[in-house]
Amino acid sequence: MTTSALRNELGEFLKARRAELTPRAVGLPDNGAPRRVKGLRREEVAQLAAISTDYYTRLEQGRIQASASVLGILARVLHLGDDQRAYLYELAGKDLARPRSRARQRVQPQLQRLLDDLASTPAIVLGRRVDILAWNALAAALVTDFAALPEKRRNYARIIFTDPAMKQLYADWETVARTCVAQLRMEAAKYPTDPRLTELVGELSVQDRQFRQWWGEHRVAARNVGTKTFRHPVAGDLTLDWDTLTASTDPDQQLVIWTAEAGTPSHDGLRLLASRAADRSGSGSAVDA
């Protein structure tokens, strides 16, 4: 992605965000008359940010680069969340003249040891591009047999959008898929020159209409915590909390774990699944992701 393309991306992100706001939401008068554009007008955003309409227009058109102070004001005006604010700064602060070459990711040894010890908790390690670097037996039993996939196709987003079984596994597949797209957007801002990420986005955009639509919405999200409901063919309905732990030796590697409160049907279902998974191989990893 060139500098020009990155600025255009920032402009599209700003347009998408102002389209979500109403004058009433930002404290501007609204007489209820029909509006020619959805959401806020450019001049309204400029007024709230105390900058000229011409300056803001050129920023949306990708013709100029905003200063850090202007970005901070726009983030406040457009009511951006923490993830959206981080994404805005990522887009505006990258120097594409000296792209950094990155070594292949290998799962950190301490994370692999932890995975091996988590017999009753499903867990995976996600790397750049939401690649699946490693997993334990219970994660494979819960989601899919990662070992059966070619190394280069062990990617969470690719699995969500290309494996039909995922729509049956996740009770709210659409929310899971949209969140995955938003997380992938964050990755794209951090690593705009990553050819494998560009290839992944292109592939999924061609293959899936919903991915293409949601990618165009420019929503962003970081991996942190949440809850997912599974409709598992063996363990039944499981409502599991998920959390992420970041490796201090490689911040681009995160351990994702799913848990359930003791004594709940979901906890009992996990124990059943763990007993089945114990008969299979302990864990696996993609050495060169």
Side-chain angles (χ1 to χ4, degrees), residues 45-75:
V45 175
Q47 174 189 341
L48 291 167
I51 57 178
S52 71
T53 301
D54 177 66
Y55 181 95
Y56 181 75
T57 298
R58 286 186 289 148
L59 183 60
E60 272 202 3
Q61 293 174 344
R63 293 159 53 194
I64 59 172
Q65 177 119 9
S67 66
S69 59
V70 169
L71 289 175
I73 294 171
L74 289 175

Side-chain angles (χ1 to χ4, degrees), residues 11-85:
E12 291 298 320
F13 180 72
L14 291 175
K15 284 190 285 186
R17 298 290 72 79
R18 71 176 169 89
E20 295 178 330
L21 296 174
T22 64
R24 189 184 304 275
V26 295
L28 291 176
D30 185 5
N31 58 16
R35 299 171 67 86
R36 289 181 297 174
V37 297
K38 182 180 179 181
L40 298 179
R41 302 184 183 98
R42 284 174 175 169
E43 57 265 33
E44 290 171 332
V45 175
Q47 174 189 341
L48 291 167
I51 57 178
S52 71
T53 301
D54 177 66
Y55 181 95
Y56 181 75
T57 298
R58 286 186 289 148
L59 183 60
E60 272 202 3
Q61 293 174 344
R63 293 159 53 194
I64 59 172
Q65 177 119 9
S67 66
S69 59
V70 169
L71 289 175
I73 294 171
L74 289 175
R76 175 179 54 79
V77 167
L78 295 174
H79 294 191
L80 300 187
D82 292 341
D83 294 343
Q84 293 172 324
R85 183 187 296 266

Side-chain angles (χ1 to χ4, degrees), residues 67-210:
S67 66
S69 59
V70 169
L71 289 175
I73 294 171
L74 289 175
R76 175 179 54 79
V77 167
L78 295 174
H79 294 191
L80 300 187
D82 292 341
D83 294 343
Q84 293 172 324
R85 183 187 296 266
Y87 182 67
L88 183 68
Y89 275 84
E90 290 281 0
L91 289 176
K94 287 293 182 180
D95 181 6
L96 300 182
R98 296 184 300 275
R100 295 177 296 171
S101 60
R102 293 187 171 273
R104 289 180 175 180
Q105 265 187 308
R106 299 174 183 268
V107 62
Q108 295 294 300
Q110 61 271 34
L111 290 184
Q112 184 65 68
R113 290 194 296 269
L114 181 57
L115 281 174
D116 294 340
D117 288 340
L118 290 175
S120 60
T121 302
I124 61 176
V125 175
L126 292 179
R128 294 190 298 270
R129 306 174 294 270
V130 294
D131 285 340
I132 299 168
L133 303 183
W135 59 92
N136 63 8
L138 190 48
L142 175 67
V143 182
T144 191
D145 184 3
F146 301 111
L149 300 173
E151 262 185 35
K152 291 187 177 181
R153 300 195 66 81
R154 291 176 192 154
N155 176 276
Y156 187 69
R158 182 180 278 113
I159 291 171
I160 288 293
F161 282 94
T162 63
D163 186 347
M166 295 299 105
K167 291 189 176 181
Q168 301 300 320
L169 178 65
Y170 288 105
D172 189 359
W173 176 87
E174 181 171 329
T175 296
V176 171
R178 289 177 75 107
T179 300
C180 186
V181 173
Q183 291 172 349
L184 203 59
R185 266 284 179 192
M186 288 290 283
E187 292 290 306
K190 290 166 62 179
Y191 308 113
T193 60
D194 185 338
R196 287 186 60 185
L197 180 54
T198 301
E199 179 185 355
L200 173 65
V201 171
E203 173 192 331
L204 295 180
S205 295
V206 170
Q207 292 183 2
D208 193 279
R209 176 187 57 82
Q210 288 176 299

